[in-house]
């Protein structure tokens, strides 16, 4: 029975890997072929005569958009952690009136569709001059990343042993020093998890990006690809090259931080 289960798990794993890798392989394959080669029948399954013209075009037209998305994503991570970490600590460790109600509100915020958020924020951002600006995009993305980070960090911080906090207080540490010197290092995996998901959401966001930018000042890579496809419908190697470049930061982060993510998601669910 155990052998059969292992075989089934292995088969399922292989199928999942193939399902996820097939689009990636085809995207890279198309990005390395010329436009003429893509029109051949049947299509080439391997770029025997690779060309880098698509990547040159992508860097020339989308390089600034990649930098824009990087700034927005990193800003969202910083803002999310600065706001959500103290809030999660307060909800987890302090006996505040209405804590459960506030957690319920945070959960409800996670259920609000993004289009509703965009429609609500647009007149506010327009009135205070946050359209086509980095602060505006960071605040917009944070409306969804902060509640998620609060839930992740609160669950983990609730499992921090009270003895550690009491020992720090006995040694003369105040609330902020205890939070920064004891709680955050213990919750490192959860902090990395919250930061990683915040980065990925901000990097892949399209709804807020297309709603709050016009392309005159800043333009994230998701909107850049959207408009690039509309203008270059015959230059598919350039389009796919842009998609490959846009996927690299997310792939690198997931590969380097996967063990922290696994520990951050499951660590707060078990208490002794």
């Amino acid at each position: 029975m155990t052998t059969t289960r292992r075989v089934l798990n292995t088969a399922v794993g292989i199928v999942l890997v193939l399902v996820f890798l097939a689009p990636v392989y085809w995207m890279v394959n198309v990005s390395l072929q010329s436009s003429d080669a893509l029109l051949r029948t049947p299509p080439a399954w391997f770029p025997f005569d690779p060309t880098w013209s698509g990547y040159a075009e992508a860097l020339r037209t989308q390089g600034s958009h990649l930098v824009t998305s990087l700034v927005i994503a990193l800003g969202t991570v910083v803002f999310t952690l600065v706001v959500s970490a103290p809030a999660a600590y307060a909800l987890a460790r302090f006996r505040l009136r209405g804590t459960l109600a506030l957690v319920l509100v945070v959960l409800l915020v996670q259920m609000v569709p993004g289009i509703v958020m965009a429609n609500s924020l647009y007149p506010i951002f327009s009135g205070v001059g946050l359209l086509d600006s980095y602060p505006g995009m960071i605040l917009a993305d944070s409306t969804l990343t902060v509640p998620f980070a609060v839930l992740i960090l609160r669950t983990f911080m609730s499992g921090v042993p009270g003895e550690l906090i009491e020992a720090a207080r006995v040694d003369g540490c105040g609330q902020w020093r205890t939070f920064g010197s004891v709680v955050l290092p213990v919750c490192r995996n959860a902090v990395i998890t919250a930061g990683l998901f915040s980065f990925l959401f901000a990097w892949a966001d399209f709804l807020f990006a297309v709603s709050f930018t016009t392309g005159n000042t800043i333009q994230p890579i998701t909107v850049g690809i959207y408009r690039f496809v509309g203008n270059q419908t015959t230059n598919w190697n350039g389009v796919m090259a842009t998609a490959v470049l846009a996927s690299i930061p997310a792939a690198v982060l997931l590969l380097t931080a996967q063990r922290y993510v696994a520990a951050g998601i499951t660590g707060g669910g078990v208490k002794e």
Side-chain angles (χ1 to χ4, degrees):
M1 187 66 178
T2 304
T3 303
T4 304
R5 183 176 298 177
R6 288 179 179 177
V7 172
L8 289 175
N9 290 338
T10 303
V12 171
I14 292 174
V15 170
L16 290 176
V17 169
L18 291 177
V19 168
F20 283 107
L21 288 184
V24 175
Y25 166 76
W26 190 251
M27 185 170 62
V28 175
N29 180 35
V30 173
S31 70
L32 292 174
Q33 297 189 47
S34 63
S35 299
D36 295 336
L38 296 175
L39 299 177
R40 296 173 185 172
T41 303
W45 292 95
F46 187 81
F48 294 101
D49 188 18
T51 176
W52 297 96
S53 60
Y55 287 91
E57 178 71 11
L59 289 174
R60 184 181 65 83
T61 60
Q62 304 296 320
S64 60
H65 303 157
L66 288 168
V67 175
T68 297
S69 287
L70 184 63
V71 173
I72 293 173
L74 292 177
T76 301
V77 171
V78 172
F79 183 84
T80 298
L81 294 180
V82 168
V83 173
S84 62
Y89 178 65
L91 292 174
R93 308 305 306 183
F94 299 156
R95 294 185 177 179
L96 303 174
R97 181 176 299 178
T99 297
L100 294 178
L102 184 57
V103 173
L104 178 61
V105 170
V106 173
L107 285 171
L108 291 176
V109 170
Q110 286 290 98
M111 299 172 63
V112 176
I115 187 63
V116 176
M117 285 284 194
N119 289 333
S120 302
L121 291 175
Y122 187 87
I124 300 175
F125 282 14
S126 178
V128 298
L130 287 178
L131 297 179
D132 279 321
S133 67
Y134 288 105
M137 286 302 307
I138 292 172
L139 288 175
D141 291 335
S142 298
T143 57
L144 296 182
T145 58
V146 168
F148 175 82
V150 168
L151 294 175
I152 289 288
L153 294 175
R154 176 183 177 272
T155 302
F156 204 96
M157 290 178 180
S158 298
V160 176
E163 293 79 3
L164 288 177
I165 298 176
E166 291 299 327
R169 299 300 300 273
V170 170
D171 289 341
C173 295
Q175 291 288 359
W176 283 107
R177 187 173 180 183
T178 301
F179 171 70
S181 302
V182 177
V183 177
L184 284 183
V186 172
C187 299
R188 179 188 62 176
N189 293 333
V191 172
I192 294 176
T193 301
L196 176 62
F197 278 95
S198 299
F199 181 93
L200 293 178
F201 175 82
W203 182 265
D205 170 62
F206 176 77
L207 178 60
F208 289 155
V210 77
S211 299
F212 301 138
T213 63
T214 61
N216 297 327
T217 305
I218 64 172
Q219 185 170 279
I221 186 60
T222 50
V223 180
I225 293 177
Y226 171 72
R227 291 172 179 165
F228 186 67
V229 170
N231 297 329
Q232 303 288 335
T233 52
T234 59
N235 186 16
W236 283 108
N237 62 336
V239 173
M240 290 302 173
T242 305
V244 171
L245 293 176
S247 303
I248 291 176
V252 171
L253 280 177
L254 286 174
L255 290 176
T256 56
Q258 58 181 340
R259 63 189 183 95
Y260 299 105
V261 173
I265 292 177
T266 60
V270 179
K271 296 183 181 179
E272 298 182 356

